[in-house]
Amino acid sequence: MTTAQKLGLAALTDVTFERRGGDWVGKCLICNGPIAFDARTGEGATLEHIRARGRGGTDDAANLAAVHGRCNWEKGRRWDPRKKRSADDYEAFVARLLVKRAERWRPPPQGVASF
């Protein structure tokens, strides 16, 4: 599955998103600000793995979100393992984002794979 398809799945399963023509329009999971991206290419958003793949995260739809590029970059910079931040602090941050994602969850239509 391509990154654009994963972004589409993240939007499809997030109640803040709706299709408007060829775009998905909704809210960034991290900052809650407005975001829109091209449904075909994914241009305009970045794919967020809430629990980073390098820390055991998967491509499961519940771990994916569409976010602003700057929000994704800042999350990566802030939680870079070389920064020697507490693992407990990281887990608390991820837990908050996972709760937010669960609150925004919309089940995918039948026949749509959620990984």
Side-chain angles (χ1 to χ4, degrees):
M1 188 170 267
T2 67
T3 298
Q5 290 169 323
K6 290 176 189 176
L7 276 167
L9 180 61
L12 183 67
T13 57
D14 184 327
V15 298
T16 70
F17 279 87
E18 64 180 36
R19 279 297 291 267
R20 292 189 192 159
D23 292 337
W24 279 106
V25 179
K27 293 184 177 184
C28 172
L29 183 72
I30 294 175
C31 76
N32 214 40
I35 188 170
F37 67 92
D38 185 290
R40 188 177 53 80
T41 66
E43 186 176 336
T46 61
L47 181 67
E48 167 65 16
H49 287 82
I50 298 167
R51 177 176 303 285
R53 287 177 292 175
R55 293 185 181 217
T58 67
D59 280 341
D60 182 81
N63 191 51
L64 300 177
V67 300
H68 297 114
R70 70 181 179 274
C71 293
N72 200 343
W73 177 84
E74 180 63 28
K75 178 182 175 242
R77 187 181 71 77
R78 172 185 268 178
W79 297 104
D80 184 324
R82 295 173 294 199
K83 297 267 188 198
K84 308 246 188 266
R85 294 193 60 159
S86 156
D88 290 341
D89 288 345
Y90 175 77
E91 290 302 321
F93 178 70
V94 167
R96 286 191 304 273
L97 287 179
L98 287 171
V99 165
K100 189 174 182 181
R101 179 69 169 109
E103 289 170 349
R104 291 167 46 159
W105 182 256
R106 171 177 45 212
Q110 284 191 343
V112 175
S114 62
F115 298 81

